[in-house]
């Protein structure tokens, strides 16, 4: 059998769709990944790879059947599998394809800046971070990871949609473990669209300094505390919002924000947007996974809930415009952005006066329930007395309800930072007036 | 479709890695068919089938490893990738190493009666709907039920320059039920997700209605619960999925990936007393048709039952090939990976605490005040510090030796090496539960398990009065 290329694969499937009298959409993605991990200065893992994947969706009478493949061998089977999957779909929801006629935001594709780096230059990132971390003799273990990736995506359908985009960037992180009665670990990372945006010295230094700061950590008495959720921790917690603002979840009774548009759901200092691009994020896209143009939108404005995020199906159901947030079969923001406040981190500490800065949470995937909003998470922190950090805090949990703490946001910091979650996030630190903490002391 | 990787071609790939720099080469070819069906509100919303097909090539030089994968499977592309792996290992070594691939016939322990692709999808949906109905009708508090069904049929070919050339077939089937209860505007959810290394016969082996009811029961009980108390207390952890505590608190720190470079708190402690004397635990990938079982691991090494802890003494680690080189100890058949896009590393399979002497009722009766963790959620651990956390999805208060009232939102935290010293009683009701374990080599099926156990004290993250 003669190998075929994507264009021929697509043509075959379009012909089959026409024969069956159905619409079809093909999403093609091709990615290249590089990643290297060092433990204690020794190479532990090194991966350099690439792959492609094709997703086929067949639309008939408002129902979609899906199939994917990683070989171009057999377009007929891929089409028939997707077509046959329609027969078991019995939801009353009506699905649509997009014709590509809208206006797409002008977003510069990734220029492949990391592709030109040599292997040596890539290894240099982890080696520099490792050496920096080890400058202090109290560090007994360390790990450093560097990676970059580039991904091309293309969506075509029989309604005339034909869009493509290239995304990518690089990242690194370092973990340092300091010697103490029990070991103290800290973590630091960097992301960028250009190699010079990633500073391995800085990453290594911050991981080392924080691990050292945590030496002598103690637990605290159980009780209610004033806390700062540092930007990295707040980005984790804010991840709970992603599922709550998904219109499909609201329709299916899986979101506590159902029916709350126009209501005040958070402190008036709190404004959240979704952005197709932001200079602190490496995520950017002019269209969502259904090919619908992306756009900026306000989700929470001064504490008032403004909109759910939609794909084509949920938008039609609610009789609103799609928001360009389709994410596979789900819905997600592109860059969840929190409008910064006035105070820098030092000023937040002064405003906190006495309390705890939460610097790490563990267990988001198990201890946080976006349906109820309840969370209970393992945490680490820094005890603050009279606006000054006095010692590390270990072996505590923070517990609460996401929607309750949104009302208790007393201050929003100006220390915006970009993170990678499901997509991108750009988030500052926040001061919460009261949070339940369980401890050991 | 694995036929195109005959011995001659595989030898050429392995030889290419060795020629350009490696002292060990490995090939992992995967052809996998999967089905995912999602049912919300009793209606099928998504139905997807798909095929993954690709090759992972790995080379070692000493204890350095390089991994690459591709799904462009033309001969030219595959050999280019092999060459890149060899070159990345550095030294150009043109002497070449000779080896003979020996096809190994597997002694299959995991018989499949009904291959997933031989069962019509509407029949699969029928079982999902039965689970849905049972959950939905359990209580008027149940506001939503989501049922997901997942199966796959994975064919692998694993070969290496030590002469291994083996093919294996792994079939897995899982049903996942998420029920949501609502009362006075409060929502709570309950989950149950049984699975096995079996074909569709698995859904006849379990009672799908009971599976639905179990998820609904958790949601309905918890929506009526008050917040769990906060602080240090005695905790009784129920059998089956309760074993996630051992998995997180100890298991991950016994994987070569953290032991070999000295990152684990358990590194260098073989033969030492690390747990209370009532604790013995194993990792056993040989259990027929268990969720985390396989005939050979993803490096082609036969799997085995590994004694990890015996009467509190550390007896073994879970070791993959790279870990074996770094530690100077043989592989335990623990090299696993999500799929060909991940280099394998040491992972757990079916890991559980062995049964002790007590009836579960005796254990609860011995507690004056504490938490009964009946259904555990997932958790995570930092192997470098031993700090773990995990969620209690269904909890009750124990007062004066009796289970009194439901409590929600509890998380347990601690340090693994401390917690296993504090296990005071081990029950006789050992059972296993299914989960997906995420780590360096991706997300893989793993069983956790234990009998009911009592831990003297754990920090419970709850709410303060």
């Amino acid at each position: 059998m003669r190998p075929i290329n994507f264009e021929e694969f697509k043509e075959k499937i379009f012909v089959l769709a026409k024969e069956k009298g159905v619409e079809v959409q093909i999403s093609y993605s091709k990615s290249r990944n590089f990643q290297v991990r060092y433990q204690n200065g020794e190479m532990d893992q090194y991966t350099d790879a690439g792959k492609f994947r094709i997703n086929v969706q067949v639309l008939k009478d408002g129902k979609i059947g899906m199939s994917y493949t990683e070989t171009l061998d057999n377009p007929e089977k891929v089409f028939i599998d997707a077509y046959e999957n329609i027969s078991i779909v019995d939801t009353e929801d009506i699905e649509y394809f997009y014709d590509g006629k809208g206006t797409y935001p002008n977003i510069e594709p990734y220029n492949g800046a990391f592709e030109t780096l040599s292997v040596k230059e890539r290894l240099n990132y982890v080696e520099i971070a490792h050496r920096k971390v080890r400058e202090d003799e109290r560090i007994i273990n360390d790990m450093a990871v560097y990676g970059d990736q580039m991904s091309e995506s293309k969506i075509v359908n029989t309604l005339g949609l034909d869009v493509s985009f290239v995304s990518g960037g690089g990242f690194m992180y370092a973990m340092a473990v300091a010697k103490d009665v029990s070991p103290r670990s800290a973590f630091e990372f960097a992301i960028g669209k250009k190699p010079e945006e990633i500073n391995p010295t800085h990453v290594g230094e911050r991981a080392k300094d924080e691990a050292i700061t945590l030496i002598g950590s103690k637990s605290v008495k159980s009780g209610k505390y004033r806390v700062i959720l540092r930007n990295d921790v707040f980005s984790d917690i804010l991840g709970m919002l992603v599922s709550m603002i998904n219109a499909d979840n609201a329709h299916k009774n899986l979101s506590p924000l159902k029916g709350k548009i126009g209501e005040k759901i958070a402190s008036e200092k709190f404004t959240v947007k979704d952005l197709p691009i932001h200079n602190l994020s490496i995520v950017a896209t002019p269209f969502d996974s259904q090919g619908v143009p992306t756009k900026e939108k306000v989700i929470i404005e001064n504490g008032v809930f403004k909109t759910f995020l939609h794909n084509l199906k949920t938008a039609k159901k609610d009789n609103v415009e799609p928001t360009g947030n389709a994410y596979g079969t789900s819905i997600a923001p592109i860059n969840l952005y929190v409008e910064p406040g006035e105070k820098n981190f030092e000023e937040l500490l002064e405003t906190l006066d006495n309390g705890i800065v939460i610097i790490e949470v563990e267990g988001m995937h198990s201890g946080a329930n976006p349906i109820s909003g309840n969370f209970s998470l393992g945490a680490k922190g820094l005890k603050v007395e009279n606006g000054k950090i006095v010692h590390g805090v270990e072996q505590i949990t923070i517990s609460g309800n996401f929607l309750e703490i949104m009302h208790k946001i007393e201050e929003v910091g100006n220390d915006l930072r970009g993170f990678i979650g499901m997509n991108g996030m750009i988030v500052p630190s926040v001061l919460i007036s009261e949070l339940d903490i369980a401890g050991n002391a | 479709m694995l036929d195109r990787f005959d011995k001659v071609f595989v030898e050429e790939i392995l030889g290419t890695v060795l020629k350009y720099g490696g002292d060990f080469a490995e090939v992992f070819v995967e052809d996998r068919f999967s089905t995912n069906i999602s049912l919300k509100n009793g209606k099928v919303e998504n139905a997807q089938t798909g095929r993954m097909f690709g090759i992972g090539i790995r080379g070692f030089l000493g204890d350095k490893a390089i991994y690459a994968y591709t799904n462009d499977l033309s001969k030219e592309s595959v050999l280019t990738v092999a060459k890149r792996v060899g070159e990345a290992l550095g030294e150009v070594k043109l002497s070449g190493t000779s080896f003979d691939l020996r096809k190994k016939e597997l002694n299959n322990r995991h018989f499949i009666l009904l291959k997933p692709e031989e069962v019509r999808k509407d029949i699969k949906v029928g079982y999902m709907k039965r689970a849905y109905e049972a959950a939905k009708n359990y209580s008027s508090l149940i506001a939503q039920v989501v049922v997901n069904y997942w199966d796959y049929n994975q064919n692998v070919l694993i070969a290496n320059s030590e002469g291994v050339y083996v093919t294996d077939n792994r079939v897995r089937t899982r049903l996942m039920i998420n029920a949501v209860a609502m009362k006075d505007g409060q929502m709570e959810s309950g989950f149950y997700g049984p699975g096995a290394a079996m074909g569709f016969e698995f859904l006849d082996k379990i009672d799908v209605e009971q599976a639905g009811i179990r998820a609904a029961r958790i949601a309905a009980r918890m929506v009526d619960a008050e917040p769990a108390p906060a602080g240090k207390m005695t905790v009784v952890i129920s059998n089956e999925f309760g074993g996630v505590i051992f998995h997180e608190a100890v298991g991950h720190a016994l994987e070569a990936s953290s032991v070999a470079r000295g990152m684990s708190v358990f590194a260098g402690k073989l033969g030492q007393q690390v747990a209370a004397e009532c604790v013995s635990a194993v990792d056993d990938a040989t259990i027929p048709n268990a969720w985390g079982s396989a005939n050979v691991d993803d490096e082609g090494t036969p799997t085995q039952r590994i004694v990890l802890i015996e009467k509190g003494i550390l007896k073994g680690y879970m070791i993959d090939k790279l870990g074996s080189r770094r530690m100077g100890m043989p592989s335990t058949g623990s090299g696993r990976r999500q799929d060909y896009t991940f280099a394998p590393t040491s992972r757990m399979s079916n890991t559980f605490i062995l049964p002790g002497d007590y009836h579960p009722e005796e254990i609860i009766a011995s507690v004056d005040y504490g938490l009964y963790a009946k259904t555990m959620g997932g958790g995570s651990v930092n192997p470098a510090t031993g700090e773990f956390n995990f969620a209690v999805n269904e909890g009750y208060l124990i007062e004066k030796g009796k289970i009194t009232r439901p409590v929600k939102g509890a998380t347990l935290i601690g340090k693994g090496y401390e917690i296993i010293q504090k296990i005071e009683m081990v029950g006789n009701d050992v059972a296993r539960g299914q989960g997906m374990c995420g780590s360096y080599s991706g997300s893989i099926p793993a069983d956790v398990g234990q009998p009911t156990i009592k831990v003297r004290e754990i920090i419970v993250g709850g709410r303060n009065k």
Side-chain angles (χ1 to χ4, degrees):
Chain A
M1 195 170 54
R2 188 180 63 89
I4 63 171
N5 63 31
F6 175 71
E7 278 305 309
E8 291 170 290
F9 183 92
K10 177 195 110 179
E11 283 311 318
K12 275 233 157 90
I13 288 196
F14 276 26
V15 168
L16 291 164
K18 199 158 192 191
E19 282 170 18
K20 292 271 187 194
V22 295
E23 304 297 340
V24 70
Q25 178 163 297
I26 306 175
S27 311
Y28 171 87
S29 67
K30 186 177 168 193
S31 59
R32 198 208 47 73
N33 284 294
F34 176 90
Q35 188 167 324
V36 63
R37 182 174 80 226
Y38 273 45
Q39 282 186 340
N40 293 335
E42 298 274 354
M43 185 192 291
D44 186 51
Q45 216 170 60
Y46 175 113
T47 301
D48 180 4
K51 70 178 281 193
F52 72 94
R53 178 157 164 153
I54 294 171
N55 286 287
V56 173
Q57 297 191 319
V58 177
L59 177 68
K60 183 188 164 199
D61 305 328
K63 311 242 176 291
I64 282 180
M66 296 179 285
S67 176
Y68 62 85
T69 186
E70 294 192 346
T71 159
L72 295 168
D73 280 356
N74 199 340
E76 292 81 4
K77 180 167 175 5
V78 179
F79 176 82
I80 289 299
D81 280 351
Y83 180 79
E84 286 179 357
N85 284 336
I86 296 172
S87 69
I88 58 167
V89 175
D90 59 357
T91 171
E92 280 132 31
D93 290 353
I94 301 165
E95 295 279 0
Y96 305 87
F97 283 164
Y98 186 67
D99 61 11
K101 299 225 166 70
T103 311
Y104 292 91
N106 188 11
I107 293 176
E108 197 67 24
Y110 172 57
N111 67 1
F114 288 88
E115 301 296 306
T116 53
L117 295 182
S118 67
V119 169
K120 197 163 181 288
E121 286 170 311
R122 287 168 159 144
L123 297 185
N124 232 352
Y125 282 98
V126 278
E127 282 168 4
I128 290 171
H130 162 70
R131 283 199 298 270
K132 195 74 204 170
V133 166
R134 290 296 182 143
E135 279 180 5
D136 192 302
E137 284 173 1
R138 290 168 288 180
I139 300 296
I140 48 170
N141 278 309
D142 76 284
M143 181 162 83
V145 172
Y146 164 86
D148 56 57
Q149 54 188 309
M150 178 160 166
S151 158
E152 297 172 53
S153 60
K154 184 176 178 65
I155 315 174
V156 294
N157 71 26
T158 46
L159 298 183
L161 177 75
D162 188 346
V163 288
S164 56
F165 192 68
V166 179
S167 56
F171 69 94
M172 81 165 298
Y173 64 85
M175 187 187 77
V177 181
K179 188 175 169 64
D180 195 3
V181 272
S182 61
R184 308 293 170 193
S185 75
F187 172 94
E188 183 56 53
F189 78 97
I191 53 177
K193 281 184 196 164
K194 296 184 201 125
E196 58 271 26
E197 288 169 4
I198 296 181
N199 182 340
T201 307
H202 185 69
V203 169
E205 180 137 39
R206 300 242 324 202
K208 174 196 71 177
D209 289 351
E210 187 153 298
I212 298 297
T213 305
L214 290 173
I215 291 175
S217 283
K218 299 179 252 209
S219 190
V220 297
K221 264 204 178 80
S222 299
K224 294 186 191 292
Y225 287 81
R226 276 166 73 73
V227 301
I228 290 171
L229 302 177
R230 196 170 67 184
N231 50 19
D232 46 353
V233 167
F234 190 49
S235 80
D236 283 340
I237 306 255
L238 196 62
M240 292 179 79
L241 186 66
V242 169
S243 146
M244 295 181 183
I245 55 178
N246 172 334
D248 200 38
N249 286 344
H251 294 158
K252 308 259 151 64
N253 279 334
L254 296 169
S255 167
L257 292 181
K258 182 180 179 167
K260 296 209 169 142
I261 287 186
E263 284 184 29
K264 190 158 180 297
I265 60 161
S267 152
E268 61 205 21
K269 294 201 170 169
F270 196 52
T271 293
V272 179
K273 296 177 179 172
D274 180 37
L275 309 176
I277 186 166
H278 188 277
N279 62 355
L280 292 175
S281 174
I282 59 170
V283 179
T285 178
F287 55 86
D288 70 5
S289 68
Q290 292 182 316
V292 175
T294 55
K295 60 181 178 192
E296 178 175 335
K297 73 225 68 141
V298 180
I299 299 167
I300 299 173
E301 187 168 34
N302 301 326
V304 177
F305 183 39
K306 292 302 219 184
T307 183
F308 284 101
L309 301 182
H310 290 276
N311 58 21
L312 289 168
K313 174 182 89 175
T314 63
K316 281 268 189 193
K317 209 168 174 177
D318 284 2
N319 205 15
V320 297
E321 287 293 306
T323 59
N325 290 100
Y327 187 83
T329 59
S330 186
I331 295 171
I334 299 145
N335 286 298
L336 198 63
Y337 168 83
V338 176
E339 195 80 44
E342 304 284 317
K343 292 184 174 167
N344 64 28
F345 190 73
E346 292 305 317
E347 290 162 339
L348 282 184
L349 284 181
E350 282 168 29
T351 312
L352 180 72
D353 196 23
N354 286 292
I356 298 173
V357 182
I358 306 297
I359 59 167
E360 189 178 313
V361 285
E362 295 287 346
M364 281 304 299
H365 72 290
S366 54
N369 184 338
I371 297 173
S372 64
N374 290 331
F375 62 86
S376 181
L377 304 163
K380 270 185 211 167
L382 301 167
K383 186 90 168 57
V384 176
E385 288 172 9
N386 303 321
K388 296 271 177 295
I389 291 168
V390 288
H391 62 76
V393 177
E394 62 149 6
Q395 293 290 290
I396 57 167
T397 66
I398 60 170
S399 302
N401 183 284
F402 178 80
L403 296 171
E404 285 169 26
I405 68 163
M406 289 298 99
H407 286 290
K408 293 182 182 164
I409 297 175
E410 191 180 302
E411 290 289 347
V412 177
N414 66 6
D415 54 340
L416 276 184
R417 195 167 179 198
F419 302 92
I420 301 283
M422 187 189 250
N423 265 324
M425 279 192 168
I426 304 107
V427 176
S429 302
V430 293
L431 195 161
I432 308 284
S433 58
E434 185 184 88
L435 192 63
D436 269 295
I437 290 186
N440 204 350
Chain B
M1 284 307 293
L2 297 179
D3 341 336
R4 74 173 85 159
F5 292 90
D6 58 18
K7 278 193 193 176
V8 176
F9 185 28
V10 169
E11 275 176 19
E12 193 174 350
I13 302 167
L14 296 173
T16 303
V17 176
L18 299 184
K19 180 173 146 192
Y20 286 95
D23 64 22
F24 169 87
E26 174 193 81
V27 161
F28 177 86
V29 190
E30 172 176 21
D31 191 3
R32 179 201 304 236
F33 294 87
S34 312
T35 303
N36 291 80
I37 307 173
S38 162
L39 183 99
K40 274 185 195 167
N41 245 344
K43 304 280 187 187
V44 174
E45 206 159 279
N46 291 307
Q48 184 175 51
T49 42
R51 181 177 180 193
M52 278 192 97
F53 190 16
I55 181 171
I57 300 172
R58 189 164 65 145
F60 292 166
L61 182 62
D63 68 358
K64 299 266 184 297
I66 302 288
Y67 188 68
Y69 61 85
T70 180
N71 56 7
D72 177 352
L73 297 182
S74 65
K75 187 171 175 180
E76 191 194 356
S77 149
V78 170
L79 291 177
T80 306
V81 172
K83 181 171 173 230
R84 231 174 42 228
V85 170
E87 283 175 341
L89 283 167
E91 297 178 359
V92 177
K93 195 177 61 164
L94 283 163
S95 60
T97 314
S98 67
F99 55 90
D100 287 312
L101 293 179
R102 299 176 303 270
K103 170 104 185 174
K104 196 155 60 181
E105 292 307 327
L106 280 180
N107 178 16
N108 182 30
R109 281 186 299 260
H110 313 286
F111 294 98
I112 305 301
L113 303 180
L114 274 171
K115 293 226 165 184
E117 62 273 23
E118 288 163 5
V119 179
R120 292 208 325 258
K121 285 171 201 146
D122 55 331
I123 293 176
K124 295 176 181 175
V125 171
Y127 281 75
M128 295 171 71
K129 289 194 169 171
R130 281 168 50 201
Y132 165 80
E133 291 294 334
K136 181 78 189 169
N137 296 330
Y138 173 77
S139 155
S140 58
L141 296 173
I142 302 299
Q144 176 61 281
V145 180
V146 179
V147 181
N148 284 294
Y149 169 88
W150 178 40
D151 66 37
Y152 69 76
N153 186 346
Q154 179 201 38
N155 289 291
V156 296
L157 182 159
I158 306 160
N160 68 34
S161 56
E162 290 164 356
V164 169
Y165 183 91
V166 61
T167 57
D168 196 10
N169 169 240
R170 289 88 170 257
V171 173
R172 284 187 172 86
T173 301
R174 192 176 191 203
L175 188 68
M176 287 159 285
I177 303 143
N178 220 316
V180 178
M182 196 170 351
K183 191 181 180 186
D184 307 331
Q186 291 292 308
M187 296 209 254
E188 287 295 331
S189 59
F191 173 80
Y192 183 49
M198 296 173 86
F200 197 71
E201 69 273 17
F202 175 64
L203 293 201
D204 277 320
K205 196 179 156 254
I206 58 166
D207 182 332
V208 293
E209 275 90 5
Q210 282 306 316
I213 287 170
R214 187 160 158 176
R217 182 200 72 210
I218 298 169
R221 293 264 170 89
M222 289 301 106
V223 79
D224 257 338
E226 44 191 274
K232 210 190 243 186
M233 64 191 79
T234 300
V235 178
V236 174
I237 303 168
S238 181
N239 68 350
E240 196 190 87
F241 202 74
V244 72
I245 189 172
F246 187 84
H247 175 101
E248 296 298 349
V250 184
H252 278 295
L254 298 179
E255 293 169 338
S257 54
S258 54
V259 176
R261 297 266 195 237
M263 302 281 285
S264 164
V265 288
F266 292 109
K269 298 214 166 135
L270 277 183
Q272 295 182 25
Q273 186 90 32
V274 296
E277 215 184 303
C278 58
V279 178
S280 295
V282 298
D283 181 83
D284 188 354
T286 69
I287 301 167
N289 300 101
W291 180 238
S293 290
N295 291 305
V296 289
D297 71 0
D298 293 329
E299 300 177 319
T301 309
T303 55
Q304 54 178 268
R305 177 183 167 100
I306 308 157
V307 177
L308 301 173
I309 293 176
E310 192 172 23
K311 295 188 172 146
I313 294 171
L314 183 63
K315 289 289 187 181
Y317 300 116
M318 287 157 284
I319 306 172
D320 60 324
K321 276 192 174 290
L322 190 58
S324 159
R325 286 188 168 215
R326 290 175 181 168
M327 294 162 73
M329 293 170 72
S331 163
T332 56
S334 302
R336 299 186 69 193
R337 56 178 120 199
Q338 176 178 318
D339 54 52
Y340 73 88
T341 66
F342 291 85
T345 189
S346 51
R347 302 291 295 268
M348 286 175 263
S349 62
N350 308 300
T351 314
F352 51 101
I353 298 178
L354 297 176
D357 300 327
Y358 295 96
H359 284 283
E361 297 78 24
E362 281 179 86
I363 298 179
I364 287 166
S366 75
V367 177
D368 186 52
Y369 179 84
L371 178 76
Y372 176 49
K374 182 165 167 66
T375 307
M376 300 302 305
S380 63
V381 67
N382 179 344
T385 62
E387 292 167 304
F388 68 80
N389 72 90
F390 50 102
V392 179
N393 284 356
E394 183 185 10
Y396 298 86
L397 268 192
I398 308 176
E399 291 168 298
K400 304 212 172 349
K402 296 230 161 22
I403 291 170
T404 52
R405 50 183 198 271
V407 290
K408 67 181 176 190
T411 281
L412 308 182
I413 63 161
K415 294 172 185 166
Y417 56 92
E418 288 176 7
I419 235 70
I420 51 166
Q421 300 278 8
K422 292 180 181 167
I423 297 177
E424 289 184 329
M425 294 171 95
V426 177
N428 55 14
D429 55 339
V430 69
R432 287 178 281 111
Q434 289 74 52
M436 295 301 292
C437 168
S439 183
Y440 297 131
S441 62
S443 175
I444 56 172
D447 259 9
V448 299
Q450 67 171 33
T452 300
I453 61 166
K454 174 174 143 185
V455 185
R456 187 166 65 240
E457 52 181 25
I458 305 186
I459 297 173
V460 177
R463 306 290 284 271
N464 298 287
K465 293 254 161 63

